[in-house]
Amino acid sequence: MGAQIRVYRQKISSTTSMRKIFKAMELIATSRIGKARARVAASLPYANAITRAVSAVASQSEIDHPLTTEPDQIRRAAVLVITSDRGLAGSYSASVLKQAEGLNELLHAEGKEVKTYLVGRKAQAYYEFRNRTYARVWTGNTDAPEFGTAREVGEALLAEFAMDFEEGGVDEIHVVYTRFKSMVTQEPTVIRLLPLEVVEEQVHSESELLPLYEFEPEAEQVLDALLPRYIESRIFAAMLQAAASELAARQRAMKSAGDNATDLIKKYTRLRNTARQAEITQELSEIVAGADALAS
């Protein structure tokens, strides 16, 4: 009986230690989520401004630009999958990977080859465990992304898009990431970057007039300069949204884990007390039996 009590004491001690870790990780995620949401909000004005500029160039000028023109035949697509570097975030990375698998199945069903690019060690581990190939991976600081990484990703994808199909190039580019809606809701999302689909992150009123642009020297040269920055801003915005979603998912997962640890501690404490009470009862019974034996 004493051995059973020691087992429960060890379980209570280890669970208490784990609860402290969960609580610390929850507090860290909570402290970072505010900054991550602020970075998402701060990125919107630039993203919206460059989106309007690209929209104006594409709509106010009749040019045949490879980045804005739908190709006659799409044979190979690039898919950028944005996950996390670390775990303990619930189903955050699993949901993104599931969305990416659905996109891959759709593209294969349309007769397209898929070239995969990864962000985050979770996506890298997922593909390597299944012996599946990927073109390139970027890891490090997924919960606090840097613009330099987004620029590097954008340059790599644009280089693939500009390359001929026979040389390994792609005809369209998709991004799979998690859109941050609120602390409770984060939604795995798929967007197509190229050929260009202009999507603004912020809804403007119908009374707002878009500015008229004068292109100097030519609209095509303006697009050549604007589109790489547009792609970089869209990728960076997706990475910021994913970072906020990751922190929110981790905060929620750690709170749930801490609550479960508290419930386990209560359960083990009750079982330990029951075992101790049974041991005391047994000892009293033995004492009474011994006293009766001496008296008789």
Side-chain angles (χ1 to χ4, degrees), residues 50 95 161 283:
I50 197 169
S95 299
F161 189 80
E283 290 176 355

Side-chain angles (χ1 to χ4, degrees), residues 43-44 46-48 50-51 54-55 80 82 147 150-151 153-154 157 175 177 179 189-201 226-242:
S43 68
L44 287 178
Y46 174 78
N48 287 340
I50 197 169
T51 296
V54 172
S55 300
L80 175 66
I82 301 177
F147 185 75
R151 177 179 296 167
V153 174
L157 293 178
V175 179
Y177 71 103
R179 180 184 294 275
T189 305
V190 177
I191 60 173
R192 192 180 79 161
L193 280 184
L194 294 175
L196 187 63
E197 289 182 345
V198 177
V199 178
E200 293 219 21
E201 296 289 343
L226 278 180
L227 280 170
R229 289 165 177 77
Y230 172 78
I231 297 301
E232 292 168 4
S233 69
R234 291 295 301 277
I235 292 176
F236 188 52
M239 293 173 68
L240 290 176
Q241 294 263 355

Side-chain angles (χ1 to χ4, degrees), residues 164-185:
D164 293 334
F165 173 81
E166 291 75 13
E167 299 176 358
V170 299
D171 301 314
E172 65 178 358
I173 299 174
H174 299 268
V175 179
V176 185
Y177 71 103
T178 304
R179 180 184 294 275
F180 180 87
K181 290 189 171 182
S182 67
M183 287 295 296
V184 179
T185 306

Side-chain angles (χ1 to χ4, degrees), residues 63-191:
I63 61 173
D64 186 14
H65 197 279
L67 299 184
T68 60
T69 305
E70 189 80 21
D72 296 333
Q73 183 181 6
I74 298 178
R75 294 167 290 180
R76 183 182 295 123
V79 177
L80 175 66
V81 184
I82 301 177
T83 63
S84 65
D85 282 329
R86 297 183 295 132
L88 299 178
S91 61
Y92 166 74
S93 293
S95 299
V96 179
L97 292 168
K98 182 179 179 181
Q99 188 79 11
E101 291 291 346
L103 175 62
N104 288 341
E105 291 178 3
L106 177 62
L107 294 175
H108 285 304
E110 294 174 351
K112 304 173 184 177
E113 299 179 22
V114 176
K115 200 170 185 177
T116 305
Y117 295 81
L118 308 175
V119 174
R121 294 190 181 93
K122 286 297 179 181
Q124 182 182 15
Y126 178 86
Y127 275 76
E128 290 181 352
F129 180 77
R130 289 160 178 78
N131 294 322
R132 296 168 61 178
T133 59
Y134 55 86
R136 193 170 174 183
V137 62
W138 292 267
T139 60
N141 299 325
T142 56
D143 57 351
E146 300 176 353
F147 185 75
T149 304
R151 177 179 296 167
E152 187 177 342
V153 174
E155 289 174 353
L157 293 178
L158 280 174
E160 292 288 334
F161 189 80
M163 193 181 301
D164 293 334
F165 173 81
E166 291 75 13
E167 299 176 358
V170 299
D171 301 314
E172 65 178 358
I173 299 174
H174 299 268
V175 179
V176 185
Y177 71 103
T178 304
R179 180 184 294 275
F180 180 87
K181 290 189 171 182
S182 67
M183 287 295 296
V184 179
T185 306
Q186 299 87 43
E187 183 180 87
T189 305
V190 177
I191 60 173

